[in-house]
Amino acid sequence: MGAVRKADFYFGSMLSCLINNGLAPAIIEPGDSRRIYKLTTDNGDYQLYAKYVSSPLRRQKKDAQLWQFTFLPEEVKYIRNYQENGKKLYFVLICGRERLQDSEIAILSLDEVKDCLDVDYDRESYRITIKWEKGIHGLKAYGTGRADILNGRDNTIRLSRDILSYF
């Protein structure tokens, strides 16, 4: 029997959530910090690019939490050059919490990820931040290419928690 790694818990929780909603993904590219899955539904074929962060950032308000996902330049190159060819690409960002059952899953489209990362601008590092706020339905996303506040107004992308609405 093999050893269970931390990544297995996070990716396993994503798979469990998808399966519990009637979806059956298959892994096509394994990895420790990211994995790519294939998913076919009545609505089409998809690829899921999954990443996880095991805990939110420490310096936060009690009524909000932030998870920061870093993307290496080679990952951004993959995103920049991705051709859908009949398979839509979604990003599943698993936002871990100390109490694992309280973790969140954020799903972003390819266009939303490109917007958050600003993939057309070369830099050393890229990030997407997922934000949870008490009393707000859903999650919010922003990143190196998209500010959370612009001209004093919320500039985040609102994300649904309803997994089936994406597929």
Side-chain angles (χ1 to χ4, degrees):
M1 195 106 181
V4 178
R5 299 171 313 188
K6 184 195 301 191
D8 296 329
F9 286 100
Y10 292 103
F11 293 125
S13 67
M14 177 202 69
L15 290 172
S16 177
C17 189
L18 292 170
I19 290 166
N20 289 340
N21 281 286
L23 304 171
I27 190 166
I28 59 175
E29 184 182 314
D32 282 341
S33 64
R34 69 176 170 108
R35 293 188 184 166
I36 299 177
Y37 296 86
K38 179 175 70 172
L39 178 68
T40 299
T41 71
D42 293 340
N43 297 324
D45 295 328
Y46 303 90
Q47 281 195 4
L48 307 179
Y49 190 111
K51 289 180 76 90
Y52 77 91
V53 172
S54 57
S55 60
L57 296 174
R58 294 194 189 271
R59 56 188 195 294
Q60 296 180 50
K61 301 175 186 174
K62 189 176 183 178
D63 57 351
Q65 290 188 322
L66 303 173
W67 292 267
Q68 200 165 77
F69 293 83
T70 58
F71 289 79
L72 299 172
E74 54 267 17
E75 290 178 290
V76 172
K77 183 178 178 183
Y78 173 87
I79 294 165
R80 184 183 302 138
N81 296 327
Y82 185 80
Q83 299 294 317
E84 292 201 338
N85 296 330
K87 289 185 179 137
K88 293 181 183 176
L89 179 63
Y90 280 98
F91 292 78
V92 180
L93 304 180
I94 305 157
C95 306
R97 288 191 173 139
E98 185 175 329
R99 289 174 30 111
L100 291 175
Q101 67 270 26
D102 294 334
S103 297
E104 299 279 353
I105 295 178
I107 301 176
L108 289 86
S109 70
L110 176 61
D111 288 338
E112 289 170 332
V113 166
K114 285 180 174 182
D115 182 12
C116 284
L117 294 175
D118 190 17
V119 297
D120 294 324
Y121 185 82
D122 288 328
R123 52 178 57 115
E124 289 183 24
S125 66
Y126 300 80
R127 69 166 167 73
I128 292 177
T129 302
I130 301 298
K131 184 176 189 177
W132 168 87
E133 290 179 296
K134 186 176 181 178
I136 301 293
H137 184 71
L139 300 169
K140 297 179 176 186
Y142 60 97
T144 49
R146 182 184 189 96
D148 59 335
I149 304 292
L150 187 62
N151 298 326
R153 302 183 71 121
D154 184 1
N155 188 47
T156 59
I157 297 172
R158 296 295 295 266
L159 306 172
S160 172
R161 284 191 171 117
D162 178 13
I163 288 178
L164 294 179
S165 69
Y166 294 94
F167 312 108

